[in-house]
Amino acid sequence: MQFRITPILSTFLVVLFLASCGKKEQQAVPGPVSYPVQTVAKQDAIVYQTYAANLEGQQNVEIRPKVSGFIQKIYVDEGQIVRKGQLLFKIETETQNQDASASKATVNAAQVEVNRLIPLVKREIISSVVLETAKAKLAQAKSVYNSIIAAISFGTIKSPVDGVIGSLPYREGSLASMTSVEPLTTVSDTKNMRAYFTLNEKEVLNFNTIFAGSTLPQKLKNISKVELILVDNSVYSQKGKIDAINGMVNASSGSTEFRAEFPNPKGILRNGSTGTIRLPIEQKDVVLVPQNAVFELQGKKLIYVVGKGNKVQSRVITTNGTSELNFIVTKGLEIGESVVTQGAIKLKDGVQIIPEQVKRNTAANTTKGAKSNTAKTK
């Protein structure tokens, strides 16, 4: 039996085909997608300036011998924590001991002579001048003896401060001398650590302008506490305070040395190590946008601005540093405009979106583990 397509069936198939194509075409065109946006507003922000720093103990005392001799005993080891008055070294003083014995004999002989002359002077058998001369010789002999005893005591070397023992360049049996270039060791008081860093002349001028105060002590009082970034890029748990600024500019480098002090209760910081000082500086009435919202193209920074009909348009912006996870924008945005804060890589000019307003601190903390936002909306 032959199957014949009637005019009515043909019309029905054509309508069915067109309906099917229209449905597929409708499915292929997606609608607007939701994107987080943020309204541009002026804010106060904290900007961090960083400087390389060298760390030293609050006290670094070089231990040097006051007498020359062979090192008889070393009582400490490198890195050991010591207390003030703790025994460190014993210098061999055998020669001084022999000198002390001879000097003691001289003192005894001089004392005997004085004792012999006293009754003779009382009976006016000899002149008192002879007795005074003998007393002078006794005093001289005692002075020599006391000097030798003091030299012997210098052979026992104790720590002048609490601290940590540095390197030990000498070993037992080595000759220690008052004129040696290297000290026996260094004791570093590390309860508080000092971080030394430098600013160039331009930075110092900016520093004097930013921080209030007509005198240096007043400016130091107005400086916020600073942070220390360790060599593993972690932030040291204790904040420090800038407590001293060198009053002279280094003529060769044109820089000025600053000093910040950090508590070191757990002994994490070590003398001679390095780090980075992070100095917070407050800026008033600036425009901030999340770094996630900005993308680069041909060396320029761009951001998507939401326009009429919720359509986005890219715009070139000018930035001046960062504050936490935000860029500080100096040009390209107007107060009250909305910008896309995430997903800019998926957009292109003219795309319509569904804007979802996000809180400002949420945009600043999109990275896991980030600090709380330092900007405050006016």
Side-chain angles (χ1 to χ4, degrees), residues 128-185:
S128 61
V129 175
V130 178
L131 177 60
E132 294 302 322
T133 301
K135 287 182 178 180
K137 289 182 178 179
L138 174 61
Q140 183 180 18
K142 287 182 177 180
S143 176
V144 172
Y145 175 74
N146 290 334
S147 296
I148 296 173
I149 293 301
I152 293 174
S153 68
F154 291 152
T156 301
I157 301 175
K158 299 179 180 181
S159 177
V161 295
D162 295 344
V164 180
I165 296 295
S167 62
L168 296 171
Y170 300 95
R171 296 292 181 263
E172 292 182 2
S174 300
L175 178 63
S177 173
M178 295 180 288
T179 59
S180 298
V181 176
E182 283 190 290
L184 295 176
T185 191

Side-chain angles (χ1 to χ4, degrees), residues 159-377:
S159 177
V161 295
D162 295 344
V164 180
I165 296 295
S167 62
L168 296 171
Y170 300 95
R171 296 292 181 263
E172 292 182 2
S174 300
L175 178 63
S177 173
M178 295 180 288
T179 59
S180 298
V181 176
E182 283 190 290
L184 295 176
T185 191
T186 300
V187 179
S188 299
D189 182 356
T190 58
K191 292 192 297 296
N192 292 298
M193 294 294 292
R194 290 174 171 176
Y196 293 88
F197 59 101
T198 59
L199 275 68
N200 59 39
E201 290 185 73
K202 184 178 179 181
E203 290 170 332
V204 171
L205 182 61
N206 186 46
F207 176 89
N208 291 330
T209 303
I210 291 174
F211 294 102
S214 56
T215 64
L216 183 58
Q218 290 176 351
K219 290 184 181 295
L220 290 175
K221 187 177 180 180
N222 291 324
I223 299 175
S224 302
K225 288 190 175 182
V226 297
E227 293 179 323
L228 179 65
I229 310 301
L230 304 178
V231 292
D232 62 352
N233 291 325
S234 64
V235 180
Y236 181 55
S237 60
Q238 301 282 338
K239 288 190 176 182
K241 181 69 176 176
I242 297 177
D243 60 354
I245 302 175
N246 195 324
M248 301 292 292
V249 177
N250 189 306
S252 59
S253 63
S255 61
T256 299
E257 188 174 62
F258 284 58
R259 186 185 76 197
E261 188 167 296
F262 292 85
N264 190 31
K266 297 182 180 180
I268 295 176
L269 304 181
R270 289 285 181 168
N271 183 64
S273 57
T274 60
T276 301
I277 292 293
R278 193 160 71 170
L279 172 64
I281 297 177
E282 185 177 7
Q283 291 193 5
K284 298 286 187 178
D285 295 333
V286 295
V287 173
L288 299 180
V289 295
Q291 295 183 33
N292 288 341
V294 179
F295 62 99
E296 290 195 13
L297 182 64
Q298 297 179 349
K300 296 181 179 180
K301 288 185 172 68
L302 295 96
I303 193 168
Y304 278 111
V305 180
V306 182
K308 292 182 179 180
N310 292 333
K311 292 183 178 181
V312 298
Q313 186 69 36
S314 61
R315 188 181 299 176
V316 177
I317 60 173
T318 302
T319 62
N320 181 27
T322 60
S323 174
E324 292 292 346
L325 300 179
N326 302 297
F327 279 118
I328 300 173
V329 180
T330 57
K331 187 178 179 182
L333 292 177
E334 298 294 334
I335 304 302
E337 291 184 316
S338 293
V339 296
V340 178
T341 60
Q342 289 185 17
I345 194 172
K346 302 176 183 179
L347 294 173
K348 61 182 179 179
D349 290 345
V351 172
Q352 186 179 31
I353 66 169
I354 300 174
E356 289 187 357
Q357 193 73 26
V358 295
K359 293 182 179 180
R360 199 165 302 278
N361 59 351
T362 302
N365 289 285
T366 52
T367 300
K368 183 179 180 181
K371 294 185 176 181
S372 60
N373 187 20
T374 56
K376 300 177 182 177
T377 304

Side-chain angles (χ1 to χ4, degrees), residues 33-151:
V33 179
S34 297
Y35 282 87
V37 299
Q38 178 179 302
T39 302
V40 177
K42 285 190 175 181
Q43 307 167 253
D44 293 343
I46 300 296
V47 177
Y48 290 97
Q49 293 183 352
T50 57
Y51 306 94
N54 296 315
L55 303 182
E56 294 183 8
Q58 188 173 11
Q59 281 185 294
N60 290 325
V61 183
E62 291 186 346
I63 307 300
R64 294 183 178 275
K66 292 184 177 180
V67 293
S68 297
F70 294 99
I71 299 176
Q72 194 171 37
K73 184 69 175 177
I74 299 176
Y75 295 94
V76 292
D77 202 356
E78 295 174 345
Q80 181 178 336
I81 298 175
V82 296
R83 299 299 180 187
K84 182 178 180 179
Q86 184 173 333
L87 186 60
L88 304 180
F89 300 93
K90 182 69 174 69
I91 305 295
E92 184 271 322
T93 57
E94 187 63 32
T95 303
Q96 287 87 345
N97 291 336
Q98 294 175 1
D99 293 341
S101 298
S103 181
K104 181 63 174 177
T106 302
V107 170
N108 293 337
Q111 184 66 59
V112 170
E113 181 64 12
V114 169
N115 295 339
R116 185 183 70 83
L117 295 176
I118 289 175
L120 296 178
V121 172
K122 288 182 179 179
R123 286 182 288 182
E124 297 182 350
I125 297 175
I126 60 174
S127 170
S128 61
V129 175
V130 178
L131 177 60
E132 294 302 322
T133 301
K135 287 182 178 180
K137 289 182 178 179
L138 174 61
Q140 183 180 18
K142 287 182 177 180
S143 176
V144 172
Y145 175 74
N146 290 334
S147 296
I148 296 173
I149 293 301

